[in-house]
Amino acid sequence: MREVRRTRVLVSAWHAIRRNAETSQTPSTKQKARDFGQNLPTNLRKLQGRLVRGYEFEPAYGATPPKGPGKVGNRPVVVAPLEDRIVQRAILEVLQSARHLTGVQAVLNTETSIGGIPGKGVDHAIKLVEQRATAGDRFVAGSDIDGFFTKISRPSVIAFLRAEGVPADFLDLVERALTVELSNAATLSPEDLRLFPTGPDGVAQGCPLSALAGNIVLADFDRVMNERGITCVRYIDDFVLIGRTAGSVDKAMTSAKARLASLNMAIYDPEKSPNKAFKGTLAEGHTFLGYRLLPGVYPPSRQAVERLRERVRALVSDGKRTLRKAARGKAPLPHERCYAQTLVAIDNTVRGWLGSFQSANCPEEFAAIDAAIDRDLDDFRAYYNSLVATRPKSERRDLMRVQRLAD
């Protein structure tokens, strides 16, 4: 309990939460983080005081946006207060750094478990796949785990930590940090409310502690599924099985299905849900973690490319809208982007996307994507030029939204 309220730990937790907020598509999330950071020492001292007195987590807001393109239904998004997220992250850092918690350290050091592990990312998973392909494995099967976060047994996580010797007061803090309570439960429809893990099981997707909780619950799954010549690479709720023969991979997937069923979890049938599961050979280029599993190449999936293209097009469209507004003499709002800001946003988007595909070795495909983005940029530049062509020089800075000293 002393460790979780240390200034060093809370500052580290704050920076992790701030980085996530900066990439949010929700302006209010970014603004709340900026407001907190403007008076950081005082705000962290307030958090320390609340932790000394006995920290109480506030109810979170439950949103149900539609699932991504090609997916049916809504997904449960739990938006916790910023202070709660900082404390949850601080708890995570204390647990992960506690070397005497040998069970937790074993979970963190599982070679084939990637998601939510410090120092590991998607590209570590691809490297494991490439190692098995180089070793001669040719057959794969993979799936998402259906409703993974809502099926995580919180009592099992707490029992694991108790057996590790985690003190009772800190254990109580962990349990309350993992519990989901919604501030707007009364306004949600019964169908939407059932999506949220407000009962004895389940954790909030996006909670800093949720990935660790999932990795704890699946620790035995990871161990058993990497036996008998099979490699199971898991990134939180996505996993792929790799082996030398189709039969061995099929048997392993049957075993995986049974083991997950014992945890009240389920996987998808590749014939009924091809967007969620697959089986076959590596040469077929099945999609896993945004990559197509083509050994030596690993290009981004078609869906990943289309998401990038959609994001760039959306930024261009928003930029044009703001330019029209500025051209009418109306001052853009703080979050609205004119010409310069739109170009910076597109650059940041492309850089961030490229950083997610460090294992890709497909210059021809990247060149094709660049060509498409070039067309979007040319279109945006032409639109801007058409607006400024008939305007006096003094007004052009307004459309670029570059500050004038005289203003």
Side-chain angles (χ1 to χ4, degrees), residues 151-368:
K151 304 295 178 61
I152 292 173
S153 169
R154 292 201 306 273
S156 295
V157 175
I158 298 304
F160 177 91
L161 295 175
R162 183 180 293 112
E164 286 282 282
V166 174
D169 54 351
F170 192 74
L171 201 62
D172 175 68
L173 184 67
V174 174
E175 187 168 15
R176 289 187 290 110
L178 285 171
T179 300
V180 176
E181 182 181 354
L182 299 180
S183 60
N184 60 325
T187 64
L188 293 171
S189 69
E191 294 77 14
D192 283 345
L193 187 58
R194 279 195 290 270
L195 298 174
F196 292 92
T198 55
D201 284 336
V203 297
Q205 184 173 353
C207 169
L209 285 163
S210 293
L212 176 61
N215 288 335
I216 287 173
V217 167
L218 290 184
D220 284 342
F221 174 85
D222 291 332
R223 177 182 55 81
V224 173
M225 295 311 302
N226 280 281
E227 296 175 347
R228 294 176 296 193
I230 291 292
T231 299
C232 174
V233 181
R234 182 177 62 82
Y235 193 100
I236 304 182
D237 59 339
D238 291 346
F239 70 94
V240 61
L241 304 174
I242 313 166
R244 296 214 168 207
T245 67
S248 64
V249 171
D250 286 344
K251 288 180 181 178
M253 186 56 85
T254 299
S255 175
K257 182 177 181 180
R259 291 187 176 280
L260 290 171
S262 70
L263 299 173
N264 196 32
M265 298 177 183
I267 59 176
Y268 292 91
D269 184 327
E271 293 186 2
K272 297 179 180 178
S273 304
N275 291 332
K276 292 284 191 177
F278 59 86
K279 70 174 183 176
T281 66
L282 280 172
E284 295 173 276
H286 300 285
T287 297
F288 180 60
L289 303 179
Y291 282 91
R292 292 169 61 201
L293 297 181
L294 290 172
V297 183
Y298 299 104
S301 69
R302 294 177 182 85
Q303 297 92 331
V305 172
E306 185 54 33
R307 282 194 295 270
L308 172 64
R309 295 281 290 108
E310 287 177 356
R311 179 60 182 155
V312 171
R313 287 193 294 264
L315 287 169
V316 168
S317 177
D318 289 345
K320 287 181 177 180
R321 188 180 305 112
T322 306
L323 286 175
R324 288 194 297 272
K325 181 177 180 179
R328 295 195 300 269
K330 296 183 178 180
L333 298 174
H335 68 275
E336 293 179 319
R337 305 178 185 92
C338 281
Y339 187 68
Q341 294 76 27
T342 297
L343 294 179
V344 170
I346 292 172
D347 180 57
N348 288 337
T349 297
V350 174
R351 287 177 183 273
W353 187 89
L354 181 61
S356 299
F357 293 97
Q358 297 178 26
S359 293
N361 181 27
C362 51
E364 296 85 1
E365 294 207 26
F366 279 179

Side-chain angles (χ1 to χ4, degrees), residues 11 22 73 76 115 120 139 274 315 360:
V11 167
E22 287 176 350
K120 289 184 179 181
F139 294 89
L315 287 169

Side-chain angles (χ1 to χ4, degrees), residues 350-403:
V350 174
R351 287 177 183 273
W353 187 89
L354 181 61
S356 299
F357 293 97
Q358 297 178 26
S359 293
N361 181 27
C362 51
E364 296 85 1
E365 294 207 26
F366 279 179
I369 300 170
D370 277 335
I373 294 174
D374 284 343
R375 290 192 292 272
D376 293 329
L377 292 172
D378 289 343
D379 173 62
F380 186 53
R381 188 181 303 110
Y383 188 83
Y384 166 76
N385 288 335
S386 70
L387 288 177
V388 302
T390 59
R391 283 175 168 74
K393 193 173 182 180
S394 60
E395 293 182 9
R396 296 178 186 178
R397 290 259 293 262
D398 293 334
L399 293 177
M400 287 188 288
R401 202 174 179 185
V402 176
Q403 181 65 45

